[in-house]
Amino acid sequence: MRAFQYCLPLLCIDGTFLTGKYKGQILTAIGVDGNNQVVPVAFAFVENENTGSWYWFLERVKDHVVGARPDVCLISDRHSGILAAIRQLQQGHGTEHPKWADVRNRWCMRHMGANFYDHFKNKDLMVLFKRLCAQNQQRKFNTLWKLLDDMTAKQIAEREARASSANTTQATQSSASGPKPFTQWIRDAPKEKWSLLYDTDGRRYGIMTTNQAESYNMVMRGVRCLPLVGIVEFIMYGCAK
């Protein structure tokens, strides 16, 4: 708790599952110091990774770790429970006042890339999309965006062409008249959430992924089958070491 006051105002949050007799999830919040090294900040055991558990966890992180420190940014994937919990913390829940009105949220580039691949099924295009996420020059950003639009449109047209010649004509006409495939896919994702170039006030400090939290989960991969007391002892002694 004291160490976080000297870290970047940023936390990577993630969940991982227990593998032993008793099922559940471990939620973690990992800080980053001035040398970009991992600082484990908080963890919790919950039954499921949902809105209620993430709200409960992040509310306690705010009360007991962050305190009055302003404008802390949470880097996460786009899990619906995380996004809903952060929204409730920012805006309030029911008749409750906002518990963490100035919290910011940015999305992990690696998870965005995985979502991109699920949609377009092309690893080369996924790598290009990650380059777009990490780009910090407007001219290059615009060039990469146009390239992704053109290449995704071409890929879809080729896919339709293999299916039938009739569909090829329809796909070509629709891509020419309407939004390009990449633009259409990304339009509901605010640029400040996933793009380094549009990161308002530099909230993410150049950190594009939740790899810090993922690395910590990998450290625990061999003890997730233990009883909870054993996992707690592993975390406590590991952090001290």
Side-chain angles (χ1 to χ4, degrees), residues 9-235:
L10 175 146
L11 289 168
C12 295
I13 58 175
D14 192 35
T16 189
F17 55 90
L18 298 173
T19 59
K21 178 179 179 181
Y22 302 105
K23 305 304 178 184
Q25 297 277 333
I26 308 175
L27 308 185
T28 54
I30 306 298
V32 182
D33 69 10
N35 292 326
N36 284 329
Q37 293 180 317
V38 171
V39 181
V41 168
F43 67 97
F45 298 102
V46 297
E47 290 185 7
N48 295 298
E49 193 177 351
N50 53 35
T51 302
S53 60
W54 273 112
Y55 183 90
W56 174 84
F57 177 61
L58 293 175
E59 182 185 30
R60 278 148 186 78
V61 170
K62 164 62 176 171
D63 290 342
H64 300 293
V65 179
V66 174
R69 193 172 187 186
D71 300 322
V72 170
C73 178
L74 303 177
I75 298 183
S76 68
D77 59 24
R78 292 196 294 172
H79 187 281
S80 58
I82 296 177
L83 300 185
I86 293 174
R87 187 163 55 250
Q88 290 178 13
L89 288 165
Q90 290 173 323
Q91 302 173 3
H93 180 52
T95 58
E96 294 181 0
H97 294 292
K99 294 291 183 68
W100 200 353
D102 64 347
V103 68
R104 300 291 181 263
N105 180 221
R106 299 291 184 264
W107 297 339
C108 171
M109 176 181 72
R110 189 172 58 80
H111 286 94
M112 286 288 291
N115 294 337
F116 180 96
Y117 180 78
D118 288 341
H119 187 79
F120 292 106
K121 306 297 182 185
N122 187 300
K123 289 186 177 180
D124 293 333
L125 290 180
M126 180 185 69
V127 172
L128 198 62
F129 171 68
K130 289 182 178 180
R131 283 179 55 196
L132 179 73
C133 293
Q135 185 52 247
N136 60 4
Q137 296 182 34
Q138 187 70 63
R139 178 181 59 81
K140 293 181 179 180
F141 183 91
N142 294 341
T143 300
L144 286 170
W145 185 295
K146 184 179 184 304
L147 186 60
L148 277 167
D149 261 343
D150 294 341
M151 293 181 71
T152 51
K154 180 181 178 182
Q155 179 193 15
I156 290 176
E158 289 174 349
R159 187 185 304 165
E160 295 293 336
R162 286 192 295 268
S164 70
S165 58
N167 288 339
T168 304
T169 304
Q170 294 175 1
T172 304
Q173 290 174 349
S174 63
S175 63
S177 59
K180 295 290 187 178
F182 173 69
T183 298
Q184 194 169 20
W185 177 78
I186 201 70
R187 65 183 176 183
D188 294 327
K191 289 180 181 177
E192 68 272 11
K193 297 285 190 180
W194 57 269
S195 167
L196 179 63
L197 179 65
Y198 289 90
D199 181 26
T200 310
D201 299 324
R203 298 293 185 199
R204 68 193 307 152
Y205 286 84
I207 297 174
M208 297 302 298
T209 68
T210 56
N211 283 356
Q212 285 81 0
E214 299 282 355
S215 298
Y216 191 70
N217 288 339
M218 285 295 290
V219 170
M220 292 195 298
R221 71 185 184 279
V223 300
R224 288 181 294 165
C225 60
L226 297 178
L228 299 189
V229 172
I231 301 175
V232 171
E233 289 184 350
F234 174 84
I235 293 172

